[in-house]
Amino acid sequence: MRQTQKRFKEWKWKPLVVMSVICLFLLAGGYKLYQHSIDNAVSGTTQSYMDQLAEHDIRNVGSQIDSRLNYLHAIGSRMELLRKDEQINIPYLLSVDAQATDFQKLYLITDNEFVYDSSYLVSSLDEMPWSDTYRDASGDFVVRFVVDKREAWGEYLLYGIKLDVPFSYDGEQVDGIVGLVPLEELDGLINLESFGGQGMTLIIEQSGTIITASRYYDKGTNLNYFTELEQAVFSNKFSFEQCKKNISEGKSFYVEYEFQDVQYNAMLKPVGDQSYGSGWYMVVKVPESVSAEQTKGYLRRSIFFFALISIIVFGIMIFV
């Protein structure tokens, strides 16, 4: 009789143990699937937000560039209309335009390569450090430019246009206008910091040279983003060469890489109209830890839910 009761108890508990193990596996598997789905959702949301940040800043920068170039065209159109009035002082008008706008300096370039500037100086185009950039341009252009002269030292945006309809001045044909604007104006157009100060937005040239956010970037580098990408270990089937190829072709792309033991996600998108030759790229760079912290937060809040399910399931199994 006792042996029968003992066997009955063993028979009763064995299915319970088996069901418990199965339930544990199911709960663990469910939690793992939930963790994977949360990780994908957070990663997708972060990537989408990075894309939105880049697009927002690209619109701001593109709008500002178009506005500056349109203003240069307006100067050319206005001076073309006023040139017949012999009492109009063209250099004076150029100086007034420079003082009334953010252009630190404005230049008129003639077909004989003389340069008249807003400081009433007349020079040869060969004397201008940006002469090659101007000669190589076939239309509107904007480039980063470093001036190392004492009277105008600093980093600038060099805006330039080639006039469709040249106008006469002092017996020559003015066929181009160039203006200098301090580079700092770009910093006010983009979100230099994002994701609670952990993310960073910067603009690079096609050579990788960083032209914004330099005060936030590591001063130990040569301020070239390619230095980082060249040493990076990529995790989404990308490579440094593929990044350079995409940038040279003006493609938007997203990369994940490790640099100096830190995992980063980066969104790279071309800035504005490539026809004006800037070749700039907007880079939104965010540490992977941003997504990881968000994922951990969701998982911490879900532990109580899974624990409650486990208690209910085991309670049913024991008392039923």
Side-chain angles (χ1 to χ4, degrees):
M1 184 69 178
R2 290 180 179 178
Q3 289 182 351
T4 304
Q5 290 178 346
K6 183 178 180 182
R7 288 176 182 176
F8 178 76
K9 289 180 179 180
E10 289 177 354
W11 177 85
K12 182 179 179 181
W13 282 102
K14 281 181 180 179
L16 184 61
V17 171
V18 172
M19 291 298 296
S20 298
V21 171
I22 292 173
C23 287
L24 283 173
F25 274 109
L26 289 175
L27 286 170
Y31 186 79
K32 194 68 177 177
L33 288 174
Y34 175 76
Q35 182 181 12
H36 182 70
S37 64
I38 288 294
D39 188 51
N40 287 339
V42 170
S43 178
T45 301
T46 302
Q47 185 174 338
S48 176
Y49 184 60
M50 291 168 65
D51 184 72
Q52 291 175 31
L53 276 177
E55 285 294 336
H56 174 270
D57 291 344
I58 285 171
R59 284 195 296 269
N60 281 352
V61 172
S63 176
Q64 185 77 319
I65 289 175
D66 291 340
S67 176
R68 298 293 186 205
L69 293 173
N70 288 338
Y71 191 82
L72 293 182
H73 280 286
I75 291 175
S77 299
R78 186 169 66 252
M79 290 188 175
E80 199 278 331
L81 291 173
L82 296 174
R83 64 183 175 82
K84 296 180 182 179
D85 190 339
E86 296 181 356
Q87 295 182 347
I88 295 296
N89 187 324
I90 296 293
Y92 172 75
L93 290 180
L94 200 64
S95 176
V96 170
D97 277 313
Q99 294 176 30
T101 65
D102 291 327
F103 283 107
Q104 191 152 325
K105 215 161 194 180
L106 289 167
Y107 306 86
L108 300 179
I109 300 94
T110 71
D111 57 348
N112 291 325
E113 297 196 340
F114 283 103
V115 179
Y116 298 83
D117 69 30
S118 52
S119 301
Y120 301 94
L121 298 176
V122 181
S123 310
S124 167
L125 182 59
D126 288 329
E127 297 177 57
M128 299 292 105
W130 40 263
S131 58
D132 290 338
T133 300
Y134 178 82
R135 289 189 179 110
D136 292 341
S138 57
D140 297 353
F141 63 91
V142 54
V143 297
R144 170 181 170 272
F145 184 71
V146 179
V147 179
D148 55 8
K149 293 183 178 180
R150 183 186 306 174
E151 64 273 14
W153 186 91
E155 292 180 301
Y156 293 85
L157 294 177
L158 179 72
Y159 291 91
I161 64 171
K162 298 291 184 70
L163 296 174
D164 296 327
V165 181
F167 63 90
S168 298
Y169 172 67
D170 200 22
E172 297 185 87
Q173 292 289 311
V174 175
D175 55 13
I177 304 175
V178 168
L180 288 179
V181 176
L183 183 65
E184 286 78 9
E185 83 162 6
L186 282 182
D187 289 352
L189 299 173
I190 65 177
N191 296 287
L192 292 176
E193 295 180 294
S194 56
F195 294 92
Q198 297 185 72
M200 179 188 299
T201 302
L202 44 132
I203 298 177
I204 64 172
E205 296 176 331
Q206 284 200 337
S207 62
T209 300
I210 300 170
I211 61 176
T212 60
S214 59
R215 68 177 180 271
Y216 292 97
Y217 213 70
D218 182 7
K219 303 299 183 186
T221 72
N222 62 356
L223 295 182
N224 191 301
Y225 188 53
F226 284 175
T227 301
E228 180 171 321
L229 293 182
E230 192 170 16
Q231 300 174 29
V233 178
F234 293 87
S235 57
N236 57 343
K237 298 182 180 180
F238 255 82
S239 66
F240 172 56
E241 293 302 323
Q242 183 64 49
C243 290
K244 287 205 302 182
K245 184 174 183 292
N246 284 359
I247 289 174
S248 67
E249 295 175 354
K251 294 180 178 179
S252 300
F253 60 101
Y254 173 81
V255 292
E256 300 172 357
Y257 63 89
E258 182 181 316
F259 176 67
Q260 294 182 347
D261 298 324
V262 179
Q263 191 74 26
Y264 291 101
N265 303 325
M267 179 72 68
L268 293 88
K269 301 175 78 71
V271 176
D273 185 355
Q274 295 295 304
S275 66
Y276 50 61
S278 71
W280 294 345
Y281 258 75
M282 189 74 67
V283 180
V284 179
K285 172 186 165 186
V286 180
E288 175 62 28
S289 58
V290 171
S291 297
E293 284 300 320
Q294 292 179 351
T295 300
K296 288 178 182 177
Y298 285 116
L299 293 177
R300 279 194 294 266
R301 288 191 289 272
S302 69
I303 288 176
F304 174 78
F305 173 74
F306 277 92
L308 182 61
I309 291 178
S310 301
I311 293 172
I312 293 173
V313 169
F314 285 117
I316 292 174
M317 291 173 59
I318 292 172
F319 294 104
V320 173

